[in-house]
Amino acid sequence: MILLNVPFSEKDEAKKLGAKWEPTLKKWCANHRNNYWKFEKWLNGELVFKENIFIVEGKQTCWKCDKTTNVYAIGVLSEDIIELENVSQRETVQQKTGFDLQIWPVESDMPDFLRVQLVERFGCKKKYSYTEQRSYFANVCSNCDSLQGSFFLHSSPDSPFGWMNESQLTLYKYPLNYDYASNVSLDRSISINYSYLKRSVIKTSSSPIL
Ligand SMILES: [Zn+2]
């Protein structure tokens, strides 16, 4: 099931397409994953995550204090991603990208409960970046509180979440109560076959409320 942002004036249109009213949540929803694409105008993004989302933990040497700190990202298994723009799904996300896990920066669009977890359990916070001249939700060093900019965590293949880095990743697994549409996009720039899961340890977390 996925929740839809249907304005009152468009409720008849949504109903005609097969949307159902969810009385407890007071929202329209779509129940069949094969049909989600029909409801795209009421979803915030073109990729839908199903089953689980992971908080991915890696390690990084802090640029400021030179000590090792944990850093975090958001991960979803390629097989748990539905592309709304790719109705036939002839090519899977894994085939398209070469990766069995997709990883995005913590500032990306994600369910609210994950952001809460990142703040309360893993120490992420909103920080100002002098390099980028903006504030954003980010990783900080656990020793000296310096911003660990997402550019340095994600942009290069040997960065902590890159495919050329061989350090171990810990995946904290969070089951989804409903599917979630996100406005992130897939990185198709590198077409190699690479398994993130091979260098990962999976830890299960208690079931959250979306
Ligand atoms: Zn530091």
Side-chain angles (χ1 to χ4, degrees), residues 162-173:
W163 59 273
M164 277 176 71
N165 189 312
E166 289 179 350
S167 63
Q168 183 183 289
L169 299 174
T170 305
L171 308 183
Y172 297 91
K173 182 175 175 174

Side-chain angles (χ1 to χ4, degrees), residues 62-67 141-146 148:
C62 173
W63 58 272
K64 185 98 184 266
C65 74
D66 218 29
K67 290 181 185 158
C141 173
S142 57
N143 308 292
C144 74
D145 206 43
S146 300
Q148 309 293 304

Side-chain angles (χ1 to χ4, degrees), residues 21-114:
W21 178 249
E22 173 47 67
T24 338
L25 301 160
K26 300 197 186 333
K27 282 218 163 211
W28 290 91
C29 70
N31 284 319
H32 302 292
R33 284 173 175 156
N34 292 343
N35 291 339
Y36 283 175
W37 60 274
K38 289 186 189 170
F39 303 95
E40 194 183 344
K41 68 185 267 196
W42 300 301
L43 293 169
N44 175 38
E46 288 175 7
L47 297 184
V48 172
F49 305 152
K50 57 179 186 174
E51 311 299 340
N52 300 292
I53 300 190
F54 296 95
I55 289 178
V56 184
E57 181 183 83
K59 298 225 182 293
Q60 148 114 327
T61 305
C62 173
W63 58 272
K64 185 98 184 266
C65 74
D66 218 29
K67 290 181 185 158
T68 302
T69 180
N70 287 339
V71 283
Y72 298 92
I74 295 301
V76 182
L77 294 179
S78 295
E79 63 185 40
D80 286 345
I81 297 172
I82 300 167
E83 288 181 281
L84 298 178
E85 294 286 278
N86 177 18
V87 179
S88 67
Q89 313 279 326
R90 219 167 275 152
E91 202 182 15
T92 65
V93 171
Q94 175 146 7
Q95 286 164 341
K96 202 173 263 184
T97 62
F99 299 133
D100 53 1
L101 180 77
Q102 307 295 321
I103 299 179
W104 290 281
V106 287
E107 66 189 284
S108 311
D109 176 16
M110 70 179 100
D112 290 339
F113 74 80
L114 277 180

